[in-house]
């Protein structure tokens, strides 16, 4: 950790990478990419140095661009054009203010001219909002996590989360929340662990839909001979970003003997099932879902999906759903699920577990 501190001090004393050219729009991204390369090569000191450098470069760039535009908008003839970007551009061309024109064109190209509603104020406000670099803060948090500096890692993860609106890939917000949940799990802070898993699930509209959840539970609780098939016929869930959180919080509730495990478990399984079913349809135009046995038969054609399911604990999730249903005394659904898994689960371990559990319940 002393090496990391040394590099931070060295970085701040040697920083000469000021943003002097407005055309250097993506230098911060290039430096950040070097930080990621270093991180993936386990060169954490270098990664920290480049990540901090990328943050400072971003800050300098945004400050430089904002000041330049504000100064370019001050002359009387530009002010006379009002708030209109398009009208102001014509005057800036006459004034040969190419730096300002370049900045305006760069952001209009990225966001589209309609995004700013032809407003210089909107453009300036947007540019100033980009000073934060959440991807860099997230990476720095991961570096401190590797170093065992969990409190510092949490600080950077939270900064990244606060500025998540600046993420180039919005779904990376899920990665930040998962890292926070994982850190609290490592530290044994169960309340915080649950809190951040719930924050992930709060991004999913299904989690908020009590009418839908109650309908799912009613289907599972039905003691008919086709309640299992009816469950998978009726419901589909699209947001796969929350899959891991559903399975993890189901495990957490199961360990605490909470009936909420069933709700998380059934939504998690449906999420995974829906994702796989949609992939089947894309890869095989002749495929249509008929029943779970046919679903698992189709699955045999795709080793990559089976591997994905193993990595994401999907087949374990199917088994746990049976266990959670049994915990709620939904015996028909439990037996049907275990019977299916003992013959069709793509992982031998879960076929055997299902067989043993089924024998235990029937014995």
């Amino acid at each position: 950790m002393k090496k990391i501190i040394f590099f931070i001090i060295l970085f701040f004393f040697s920083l000469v990478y000021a943003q002097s050219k407005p055309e250097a729009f993506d230098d911060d991204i290039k430096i950040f990419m070097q930080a990621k390369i270093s991180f993936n090569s386990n060169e954490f000191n270098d990664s920290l140095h480049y990540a901090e450098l990328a943050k400072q470069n971003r800050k300098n760039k945004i400050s430089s661009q904002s000041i330049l535009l504000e100064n370019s908008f001050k002359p009387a003839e530009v002010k006379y054009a009002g708030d209109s970007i398009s009208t102001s551009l014509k005057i800036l061309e006459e004034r040969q203010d190419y730096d300002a024109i370049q900045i305006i064109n760069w952001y209009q190209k990225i966001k589209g001219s309609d995004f700013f509603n032809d407003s210089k104020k909107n453009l300036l406000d947007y540019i100033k909002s980009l000073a934060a670099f959440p991807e860099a803060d997230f990476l720095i948090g991961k570096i401190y996590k590797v170093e065992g500096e969990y409190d510092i890692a949490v600080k950077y993860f939270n900064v990244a989360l606060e500025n998540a609106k600046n993420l180039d890939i919005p779904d990376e917000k899920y990665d930040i929340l998962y890292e926070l949940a994982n850190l609290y799990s490592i530290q044994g802070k169960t309340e915080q662990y649950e809190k951040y898993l719930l924050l992930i699930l709060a991004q999913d509209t299904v989690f908020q839909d009590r009418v839908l959840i109650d309908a799912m539970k009613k289907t599972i609780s039905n003691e008919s001979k086709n309640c299992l098939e009816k469950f998978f016929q009726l419901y589909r869930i699209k947001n796969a970003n929350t899959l891991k959180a559903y399975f993890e919080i189901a495990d957490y509730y199961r360990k605490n003997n909470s009936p909420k495990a069933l709700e998380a478990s059934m939504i998690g399984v449906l999420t995974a099932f829906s994702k796989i079913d949609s992939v089947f349809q894309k890869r095989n135009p002749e495929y249509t879902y008929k029943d779970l046995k046919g679903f698992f038969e189709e699955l045999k054609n795709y080793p990559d999906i089976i591997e994905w399911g193993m990595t994401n604990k999907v087949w374990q999730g199917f088994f746990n759903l049976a266990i959670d249903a049994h915990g709620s005394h939904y015996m028909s659904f439990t037996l049907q699920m275990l019977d299916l898994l003992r013959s069709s689960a793509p992982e031998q371990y879960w076929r055997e577990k299902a067989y043993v559990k089924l024998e235990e319940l029937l014995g």
Side-chain angles (χ1 to χ4, degrees), residues 290-308:
K290 295 179 181 177
D291 53 38
L292 268 182
K293 193 165 186 64
F295 172 85
F296 280 112
E297 280 297 316
E298 180 73 14
L299 186 61
K300 293 177 181 178
N301 299 319
Y302 305 105
D304 61 320
I305 299 179
I306 293 175
E307 184 65 29
W308 175 86

Side-chain angles (χ1 to χ4, degrees), residues 9-218:
I9 295 172
L10 179 64
F11 160 72
F12 282 111
F13 274 102
S14 64
L15 184 61
V16 292
Y17 207 100
Q19 189 72 28
S20 59
K21 294 183 178 181
E23 66 270 17
F25 292 106
D26 60 352
D27 281 352
D28 52 340
I29 300 298
K30 292 176 182 176
I31 299 169
F32 176 65
M33 292 307 297
Q34 185 58 55
K36 290 183 70 175
I37 291 170
S38 297
F39 182 83
N40 292 334
S41 300
N42 296 325
E43 298 169 354
F44 302 121
N45 291 336
D46 288 346
S47 181
L48 181 62
H49 170 71
Y50 286 122
E52 292 285 6
L53 190 61
K55 283 180 61 178
Q56 189 62 46
N57 187 279
R58 169 72 63 87
K59 184 178 178 181
N60 291 342
K61 177 181 75 172
I62 296 306
S63 176
S64 173
Q65 291 177 348
S66 300
I67 292 171
L68 191 152
L69 283 182
E70 286 173 341
N71 288 333
S72 294
F73 293 161
K74 283 180 180 179
E77 58 266 44
V78 183
K79 284 185 176 180
Y80 184 75
D83 194 39
S84 171
I85 293 175
S86 56
T87 305
S88 297
L89 275 172
K90 295 175 184 177
I91 298 172
L92 291 172
E93 287 174 5
E94 292 173 4
R95 293 175 55 83
Q96 298 183 347
D97 192 344
Y98 300 122
D99 286 344
I101 293 170
Q102 192 176 24
I103 293 171
I104 294 170
N105 287 340
W106 171 266
Y107 287 105
Q108 285 194 327
K109 181 181 178 181
I110 291 175
K111 302 300 295 185
S113 56
D114 292 341
F115 180 81
F116 303 107
N117 198 27
D118 196 35
S119 167
K120 290 187 293 189
K121 181 182 183 303
N122 290 349
L123 172 65
L124 269 170
D125 288 345
Y126 174 74
I127 292 173
K128 290 176 181 179
S129 75
L130 298 177
F133 201 158
E135 291 90 348
D137 284 313
F138 183 37
L139 181 60
I140 293 170
K142 290 198 286 187
I143 294 168
Y144 280 110
K145 179 185 174 185
V146 169
E147 293 289 335
E149 299 283 356
Y150 296 147
D151 290 341
I152 302 176
V154 166
K155 172 188 171 184
Y156 277 97
F157 287 153
N158 278 316
V159 170
L161 192 61
E162 289 168 9
N163 296 298
K165 64 181 184 300
N166 282 11
L167 291 167
D168 286 338
I169 303 173
D171 280 353
E172 194 169 356
K173 180 179 180 180
Y174 288 102
D175 297 331
I176 299 169
L177 288 167
Y178 275 121
E179 283 287 358
L180 279 163
N182 179 254
L183 261 181
Y184 288 122
S185 177
I186 291 171
Q187 294 177 291
K189 298 179 178 179
T190 55
E191 289 186 4
Q192 290 293 90
Y193 173 62
E194 180 188 10
K195 171 187 172 181
Y196 279 95
L197 288 178
L198 290 174
L199 279 174
I200 295 169
L201 298 181
Q203 315 298 313
D204 187 7
T205 55
V206 173
F207 185 69
Q208 312 292 337
D209 192 340
R210 286 308 315 176
V211 173
L212 178 59
I213 292 173
D214 289 342
M216 291 178 185
K217 288 176 69 174
K218 186 175 181 180

Side-chain angles (χ1 to χ4, degrees), residues 340-357:
L340 176 77
L341 291 176
R342 74 179 176 85
S343 61
S344 301
E347 222 177 327
Q348 182 178 349
Y349 178 81
W350 297 110
R351 289 198 300 272
E352 293 175 354
K353 286 276 287 185
Y355 174 80
V356 171
K357 189 63 180 179

Side-chain angles (χ1 to χ4, degrees), residues 220-233:
I220 287 179
S221 66
N222 192 304
E223 291 299 310
S224 67
K225 294 181 179 180
N226 67 340
C227 61
L228 177 71
E229 289 299 343
K230 190 174 181 181
F231 181 72
F232 287 96
Q233 287 280 0

Side-chain angles (χ1 to χ4, degrees), residues 260-323:
K260 290 189 286 188
L262 175 62
E263 293 183 5
S265 191
M266 69 183 184
I267 299 173
V269 168
L270 273 175
T271 300
F273 166 79
S274 301
K275 180 178 176 65
I276 295 171
D277 188 61
S278 68
V279 173
F280 285 171
Q281 293 176 43
K282 291 175 183 176
R283 293 190 184 182
N284 180 6
E286 297 181 1
Y287 167 83
T288 54
Y289 179 78
K290 295 179 181 177
D291 53 38
L292 268 182
K293 193 165 186 64
F295 172 85
F296 280 112
E297 280 297 316
E298 180 73 14
L299 186 61
K300 293 177 181 178
N301 299 319
Y302 305 105
D304 61 320
I305 299 179
I306 293 175
E307 184 65 29
W308 175 86
M310 293 168 65
T311 302
N312 290 278
K313 300 183 178 180
V314 172
W315 321 127
Q316 179 180 351
F318 272 85
F319 176 81
N320 285 338
L321 177 55
I323 300 302

